[in-house]
Amino acid sequence: MTDARRQAPAAARNRDPILAVLREVLPPAGLVLEIASGTGEHAVHFARALPDLQWQPSDPDEEALASIAAWREAEGTPNLLAPLRLDAAEESWPVESAEAVVCINMIHISPWASTLGLMAGAGRLLPAGAPLVLYGPYRRSDHVIAPSNAAFDEDLRRRNPDWGLRLLEDVVQAAAAQGLDLEQVTAMPANNLCVVFTKR
């Protein structure tokens, strides 16, 4: 591993379960905007597996953007676009439309304003019937939280009081306010969920 490429061990573990859901819910063609692409490993994997889609990675962090660009250069995946600097919390995004929006492991490690911005942005960009796909750990009012998730939540809040596992019902309510209706919730490995919304 030379250059600016970064690795997240979780990405290698969860990419195929996430891909299985993406194959079910993403359109056959068009642009997929990935919010908070992190290292870029997911973007490379999904772009390679879904060659008829244009995959647009993005992140607000300069080191992440450098990592995504380095992975893109090393892998040479033709449908993986150059990464964009995008902060979900900002009102203006550098993308005007997309056929789908994907966001993996952002909501619990960002302020609530980022989730509200994500919903507002997806509501603006997506055409009717298009999906917003989320992945990560959540709390649910009708489920007992797994001990590992409870410990993770406590650790996140200790690191930053604006972080933490969100109540899924709050996320669903924020999405609904932007014209995004809950479509499905899929249990994933390691007590994570894949949550799919559809633009009204």
Side-chain angles (χ1 to χ4, degrees), residues 7-132:
Q7 285 184 300
R13 293 195 299 269
N14 63 33
R15 64 187 188 180
D16 287 321
I18 297 171
L19 178 60
V21 175
L22 294 180
R23 287 189 189 280
E24 291 176 13
V25 303
L26 291 183
L31 180 80
V32 179
L33 173 62
E34 184 184 5
I35 302 295
S37 300
T39 64
E41 293 168 279
H42 281 133
V44 167
H45 187 69
F46 299 152
R48 188 188 299 123
L50 303 165
D52 294 330
L53 290 166
Q54 293 287 302
W55 199 273
Q56 177 62 74
S58 71
D59 206 277
D61 178 74
E62 291 302 325
E63 284 188 13
L65 293 171
S67 178
I68 298 162
W71 275 109
R72 177 174 178 260
E73 185 178 354
E75 298 294 324
T77 313
N79 59 322
L80 178 60
L81 304 179
L84 296 174
R85 190 203 165 279
L86 190 157
D87 184 337
E90 292 179 357
E91 288 184 18
S92 178
W93 288 6
V95 177
E96 292 184 359
S97 65
E99 279 65 54
V101 175
V102 172
C103 183
I104 297 168
N105 282 334
M106 179 198 84
I107 287 179
H108 58 286
I109 49 172
S110 60
W112 180 240
S114 296
T115 297
L116 297 178
L118 170 66
M119 299 309 175
R124 284 193 310 272
L125 264 59
L126 294 174
L132 165 64

Side-chain angles (χ1 to χ4, degrees), residues 145-154 165 190-191:
I145 190 169
S148 60
N149 275 1
F152 185 40
D153 184 41
E154 192 176 306
L165 272 62
N191 299 308

